Amino acid sequence: MTEAGSEPPNMEDLVRRAQQKDEQAFAVLYTTYLHQINMFLHKKMNNDHMARDLAQDTLFKAWRNLASLKEPAAFKSWLYQIANHSFLDLQKRRKKIATVDIASCQENTYHLQVEGPEDGYISKELFYEALDLMKPKHRDCLLLYVHENKSKAEIADMLGIKENSVDKYLSRARQELRSIYALIVEREKDQ
């Protein structure tokens, strides 16, 4: 916290101090960015518990590797890149876990189904399923632009892409999301 009349701490200065293992400086960075990183990850995975764990893990990795950051002004973008890589690593680990075909689980279970309030959440679940199936760069651009209200320059910086590519990714992301969502809805109707 700042004293009355004093200016808030300069983020670049905090990063430099944290790079020198100043734990108090990093604590300020941690509190400043934890919620933002958590929300970014929550939008990607629709699982608050996992997003919180991954956000904390992201900041732990940042603390551990802070000395490798060459440009303190790029801390926020670097942090989002760590979060994105952590998310992609989690996705890879999840794919390696053996899964059971959902169709085989649903056979002969219709008599066990009862209508309830969860029916209202189906479209939200289908939407998040569609987001999950999108190409990662497309999904990330869309989430940062729509849910995080980031500018195209900020998105380019956070994802390590050219700013003029952001429009292309956003356009493709919208088309991809519509197509995947339509396919999922059709699949649900057929079941």
Side-chain angles (χ1 to χ4, degrees):
M1 296 288 155
T2 60
E3 296 177 18
S6 68
E7 291 185 30
N10 177 314
M11 287 299 161
E12 287 182 48
D13 183 47
L14 284 172
V15 172
R16 283 188 198 93
R17 288 176 31 212
Q19 285 179 314
Q20 301 301 313
K21 298 300 177 192
D22 180 337
E23 292 179 9
Q24 289 180 333
F26 190 76
V28 174
L29 293 170
Y30 181 93
T31 350
T32 303
Y33 292 109
L34 179 64
H35 180 71
Q36 293 174 35
I37 296 297
N38 183 45
M39 293 307 296
F40 171 69
L41 291 166
H42 180 74
K43 299 285 186 217
K44 291 173 77 92
M45 60 180 40
N46 192 31
N47 182 324
D48 192 46
H49 179 71
M50 294 282 293
R52 274 187 272 133
D53 286 351
L54 213 51
Q56 289 179 354
D57 186 52
T58 295
L59 284 151
F60 177 72
K61 286 178 184 174
W63 171 250
R64 217 176 37 215
N65 298 301
L66 201 50
S68 71
L69 179 65
K70 304 227 184 309
E71 203 51 53
F75 177 76
K76 185 175 180 180
S77 299
W78 181 69
L79 199 56
Y80 273 86
Q81 289 174 2
I82 293 171
N84 194 48
H85 287 295
S86 295
F87 171 75
L88 293 173
D89 288 344
L90 177 66
Q91 293 295 79
K92 287 176 190 171
R93 286 193 306 268
R94 280 181 174 173
K95 286 181 181 178
K96 290 180 181 178
I97 297 171
T99 57
V100 176
D101 180 28
I102 194 156
S104 67
C105 295
Q106 291 177 336
E107 290 177 20
N108 301 320
T109 59
Y110 183 76
H111 64 282
L112 299 175
Q113 297 176 1
V114 177
E115 281 190 39
E118 67 279 354
D119 293 337
Y121 299 105
I122 290 174
S123 62
K124 182 178 177 182
E125 288 178 17
L126 297 180
F127 173 76
Y128 281 110
E129 183 180 345
L131 273 177
D132 243 7
L133 295 171
M134 290 177 68
K135 291 180 182 172
K137 279 254 202 268
H138 294 172
R139 177 188 53 236
D140 295 346
C141 278
L142 190 63
L143 289 174
L144 287 169
Y145 187 72
V146 174
H147 291 287
E148 300 284 325
N149 294 319
K150 299 293 180 192
S151 71
K152 292 175 183 172
E154 289 173 311
I155 294 170
D157 193 36
M158 288 176 178
L159 297 179
I161 59 177
K162 295 179 182 176
E163 188 174 345
N164 60 0
S165 297
V166 174
D167 279 325
K168 178 176 65 173
Y169 283 128
L170 285 171
S171 175
R172 289 181 180 167
R174 288 180 183 107
Q175 292 171 343
E176 185 179 7
L177 182 60
R178 278 188 219 106
S179 299
I180 293 172
Y181 185 78
L183 288 171
I184 291 172
V185 168
E186 271 306 306
R187 181 198 69 203
E188 290 297 312
K189 286 179 185 176
D190 292 342
Q191 290 181 355

